[in-house]
Amino acid sequence: MMAISAKRLSHLISLKRPIKHFGVSSYSASSINQIEYSKWNNGGGTFHKSACIDPTVLIEIGAVVHSKAVLGPNVHVGSGTVVGPEVTIGHSTKIGYNVGLSNCRIGDSCVVHHGVCIGQDGFGFFVDDKGNMMKKPQLLNAIIGNHVEIGANTCIDRGSWRDTVIGDHSKLDNLVQIGHNVVIGKGCMLCGQVGIAGSVTMGDYVTLGGRVAVRDHVSIASKVRLAANSCVTKDIREPGDYGGFPAVPIHEWRRQVASHYRISKKAIL
């Protein structure tokens, strides 16, 4: 481990330094074997000699911390987790089992549950002149704020034209998908199986019920609440409650449901 002072470590965690970009091909067995890794005394995990790790960090057996990663005081890294090169984790953050972290910065006092993946490539492709499916470059990062909780098996893609951002104090349930370039404000709540397509912008204190879908490049104003199974197909500019497919103000959606029920009942009779 690189020997650094507590003051220097705090500076490295707060520093908004560029993160090198690592994709699936970056982790070849030969390259890993050629680099020196050691056993971390507190927990038995493995760390690279260039990683900056506070002495209070717990790295459980089976976890790996790669080169130039920065882990602040009282961080807990669960077994099977991989902390990629130059990933930064703020103080008192708890990382569960089998988590994959790459191309990302995670703030202070966060909770990242088992199986979460943060910082992998987003889903971006285009068809070239010859009809071939080509991958769009995914070269930016995922930035997780302070006091964020991320449920099990949630995926947060890194950005392509802007960083993917999760604001302070936001809470994500299990099995949530956050596409590349998404920006989510502070204090948002996303329930299970929510899917947010790329380049969506959400304000503060937005609540999405279970299985809400949001199409790409849509903006949602602050203090919007969406009923479960809703689908957002266009911008929502005013705070309030919405529901349906496509999502409309909640009273309008309820009238639609009641009208459909009456028509269906007449058809049966």
Side-chain angles (χ1 to χ4, degrees), residues 82 84 87 95 99-106 111-112 115-121 141-144 148 150 154-158 164 166:
V82 176
V87 166
I95 310 294
V99 173
L101 303 177
S102 59
N103 310 298
C104 66
R105 291 197 296 267
I106 299 177
V111 178
V112 180
V116 167
C117 292
I118 302 175
Q120 63 282 342
D121 285 357
N141 308 309
I143 310 299
I144 311 300
V148 172
I150 301 173
T154 286
C155 295
I156 302 173
D157 296 338
R158 63 168 167 167
T164 302
I166 310 296

Side-chain angles (χ1 to χ4, degrees), residues 1 39-47 52-65 71-81 83 89-97:
M1 181 187 69
K39 181 179 178 181
W40 184 251
N41 291 331
N42 188 13
T46 303
F47 71 98
C52 300
I53 306 174
D54 187 88
T56 61
V57 170
L58 172 63
I59 304 174
E60 293 184 1
I61 189 167
V64 180
V65 178
L71 279 64
N74 301 309
V75 166
H76 185 151
V77 181
S79 295
T81 287
V83 180
I89 303 175
H91 73 76
S92 304
T93 286
K94 309 301 181 187
I95 310 294
Y97 304 139

Side-chain angles (χ1 to χ4, degrees), residues 5-190:
S5 67
K7 184 177 180 181
R8 172 62 175 164
L9 180 65
S10 177
H11 170 71
L12 286 170
I13 292 172
S14 62
L15 187 63
K16 293 184 177 179
R17 59 198 174 101
I19 300 174
K20 289 185 179 179
H21 310 299
F22 295 88
V24 174
S25 62
S26 301
Y27 300 103
S28 66
S30 60
S31 65
I32 290 177
N33 291 337
Q34 292 171 3
I35 302 174
E36 292 185 16
Y37 285 78
S38 300
K39 181 179 178 181
W40 184 251
N41 291 331
N42 188 13
T46 303
F47 71 98
H48 188 269
K49 64 180 182 180
S50 67
C52 300
I53 306 174
D54 187 88
T56 61
V57 170
L58 172 63
I59 304 174
E60 293 184 1
I61 189 167
V64 180
V65 178
H66 283 278
S67 59
K68 299 182 181 179
V70 180
L71 279 64
N74 301 309
V75 166
H76 185 151
V77 181
S79 295
T81 287
V82 176
V83 180
E86 299 196 13
V87 166
T88 299
I89 303 175
H91 73 76
S92 304
T93 286
K94 309 301 181 187
I95 310 294
Y97 304 139
N98 298 317
V99 173
L101 303 177
S102 59
N103 310 298
C104 66
R105 291 197 296 267
I106 299 177
D108 302 334
S109 302
C110 294
V111 178
V112 180
H113 290 282
H114 313 316
V116 167
C117 292
I118 302 175
Q120 63 282 342
D121 285 357
F123 191 72
F125 299 89
F126 69 95
V127 179
D128 68 10
D129 295 338
K130 298 180 180 179
N132 299 314
M133 189 69 71
M134 307 298 292
K135 184 179 179 67
K136 292 182 179 179
Q138 310 288 311
L139 299 177
L140 298 180
N141 308 309
I143 310 299
I144 311 300
N146 301 322
H147 304 281
V148 172
E149 184 158 348
I150 301 173
N153 295 315
T154 286
C155 295
I156 302 173
D157 296 338
R158 63 168 167 167
S160 59
W161 64 270
R162 67 177 179 182
D163 289 338
T164 302
V165 178
I166 310 296
D168 295 347
H169 297 279
S170 289
K171 312 298 180 185
L172 282 62
D173 198 356
N174 302 334
L175 297 168
V176 171
Q177 163 64 27
I178 307 295
H180 56 186
N181 313 313
V182 169
V183 175
I184 294 175
K186 64 182 180 181
C188 294
M189 294 186 65
L190 281 61

